[in-house]
Amino acid sequence: MTEPRKHTITVLESPDWVDYQLLDSGNGKKLEIFGPHRVIRPEAEAVWQPSLNAKEWGAAAAEFVPSPEENGGHWQSKTLKPGHEWTVGYKKLRFSLSLSNSKHLGIFPEQACQWDWVQDQIKKSGKPMRILNLFGYTGAITMAAAQAGATVTHLDASKKAIQWAKKNQKLSNLNPERFRWIVDDGLKFVEREARRNSCYQGIILDPPKFGRGPKGEVWEFYRGLPALLAACKRILADDAVFILLTAYAVKASSITIGQALEEIIPAGAGELECGEVCLREQVGKRLLPMAVFGRWSKFGGGIE
Ligand SMILES: C[S@@+](CC[C@H](N)C(=O)[O-])C[C@H]1O[C@@H](n2cnc3c(N)ncnc32)[C@H](O)[C@@H]1O
């Protein structure tokens, strides 16, 4: 029998941002700076008191005001109008931002540490890599992977998200030949790829708690994850390099995420890490937990 892996919980931050800052948090909200704009968004984890005074918070250009239904709400804008687009940079990548119909602006800044990690895996591999990014949204991590030299299949159920990702590809000045854009249901696509024996050296999954495929296919995190991971196992190439799974807004512990990944990675090989991605406040220096993750790399710790 293979020895069980030792699980350590890693706390990841993204200290290399210049164009983004979590200024403060508290009272169920976060005060952030995206490029030239200060915005306020709801944040359930911010159960403490803010460090900054009401005048500082009042200087925000827009605030997302939640409504009682899950993920509902609207932007209340002072100077920043819905529809206005601007660009922020992370290292050499460029992303288009705007106030969308949800509380999101087009990137998840706490994920920058994962963009760096994916680039590291690709560089360490030193070989051409085929990567699949499921539930890819506006494609920040897709851009990072392509910039490091991989060819990326980017999938999302939303045409609008794919259009947005294509805009980011142009803004980041990346070769369009590195991308394959797919509007489809995540699980259906992976099952189809498995039937076609189409394999990938790297898989990235950021499934939402609840979502719908383009034909109304229902995605529910807890019900769907086992089947999705089983299908991913079938498309993981023999020379696979990494898998990254992130979960937001679900009760799942990062141990659950890590152990779910264990089912599909080569036994005993490489390194499996699980933990939380966090934002660090600029003012109070507190950590704001944003998501849990599990990631496997063929490099590091175990047998390669
Ligand atoms: C925003 S990202 C993930 C972020 C994070 N996990 C969260 O829930 O906030 C979720 C993406 O999954 C896409 N999505 C939802 N259901 C899907 C499905 N069944 N198949 C493929 N993509 C889906 C959405 O369009 C969205 O772009």
Side-chain angles (χ1 to χ4, degrees):
M1 227 183 98
T2 329
E3 279 289 301
R5 281 182 200 269
K6 249 178 137 177
H7 282 276
T8 45
I9 310 280
T10 312
V11 174
L12 297 179
E13 297 178 44
S14 296
D16 294 343
W17 270 111
V18 176
D19 282 5
Y20 170 80
Q21 268 179 28
L22 170 66
L23 207 51
D24 192 15
S25 65
N27 283 340
K29 299 178 183 187
K30 57 187 173 197
L31 176 62
E32 302 167 285
I33 301 179
F34 287 88
H37 302 299
R38 209 181 258 216
V39 299
I40 300 173
R41 297 192 288 165
E43 182 48 70
E45 300 292 329
V47 294
W48 40 77
Q49 293 303 311
S51 304
L52 291 172
N53 61 29
K55 193 173 164 223
E56 290 284 351
W57 281 73
E63 174 169 1
F64 189 83
V65 182
S67 58
E69 69 271 14
E70 201 172 343
N71 297 326
H74 67 280
W75 283 101
Q76 222 167 50
S77 302
K78 289 182 195 156
T79 49
L80 188 57
K81 297 293 165 211
H84 172 74
E85 290 180 24
W86 73 103
T87 302
V88 293
Y90 181 76
K91 299 181 181 173
K92 287 186 177 153
L93 296 170
R94 296 289 173 272
F95 307 116
S96 170
L97 301 189
S98 66
L99 306 182
S100 68
N101 295 334
S102 70
K103 65 180 178 181
H104 301 305
L105 300 164
I107 52 167
F108 289 77
E110 62 277 7
Q111 293 288 346
C113 51
Q114 305 289 25
W115 311 339
D116 291 340
W117 181 82
V118 162
Q119 291 199 327
D120 272 0
Q121 305 312 307
I122 296 165
K123 285 174 191 159
K124 276 184 192 159
S125 130
K127 287 193 288 194
M129 276 184 69
R130 259 166 65 86
I131 290 177
L132 176 61
N133 184 15
L134 294 169
F135 310 94
Y137 187 46
T138 57
I141 205 161
T142 294
M143 304 309 141
Q147 191 187 52
T151 306
V152 193
T153 298
H154 174 102
L155 178 141
D156 200 281
S158 150
K159 270 190 195 152
K160 209 173 149 194
I162 298 282
Q163 292 309 328
W164 200 332
K166 286 182 180 170
K167 197 181 281 179
N168 289 334
Q169 173 247 311
K170 289 197 181 98
L171 280 173
S172 296
N173 209 10
L174 295 165
N175 181 350
E177 288 175 10
R178 292 208 178 278
F179 302 84
R180 183 162 67 127
W181 307 107
I182 310 276
V183 178
D184 204 345
D185 175 64
L187 176 59
K188 264 193 180 169
F189 177 77
V190 177
E191 285 175 340
R192 201 172 321 120
E193 288 290 79
R195 287 195 294 275
R196 292 192 282 233
N197 290 324
S198 175
C199 291
Y200 296 85
Q201 282 85 24
I203 303 180
I204 300 161
L205 310 101
D206 187 2
K209 184 176 174 187
F210 179 84
R212 280 190 190 277
K215 295 197 176 121
E217 300 93 336
V218 174
W219 166 261
E220 282 180 62
F221 187 86
Y222 282 100
R223 279 172 175 232
L225 194 63
L228 180 63
L229 289 180
C232 283
K233 184 174 184 169
R234 295 169 60 206
I235 60 163
L236 203 57
D238 291 340
D239 59 348
V241 169
F242 75 86
I243 306 173
L244 168 63
L245 169 61
T246 308
Y248 278 80
V250 291
K251 282 182 289 168
S253 146
S254 61
I255 296 174
T256 308
I257 300 294
Q259 284 178 183
L261 277 189
E262 190 86 63
E263 303 259 300
I264 67 166
I265 59 180
E271 188 175 67
L272 181 68
E273 265 183 294
C274 54
E276 305 196 12
V277 284
C278 298
L279 291 167
R280 172 89 58 189
E281 292 174 344
Q282 187 68 22
V283 177
K285 305 293 177 200
R286 289 172 293 205
L287 273 179
L288 185 61
M290 300 303 299
V292 290
F293 75 92
R295 63 190 189 185
W296 170 77
S297 157
K298 87 171 217 181
F299 306 110
I303 316 146
E304 273 177 30

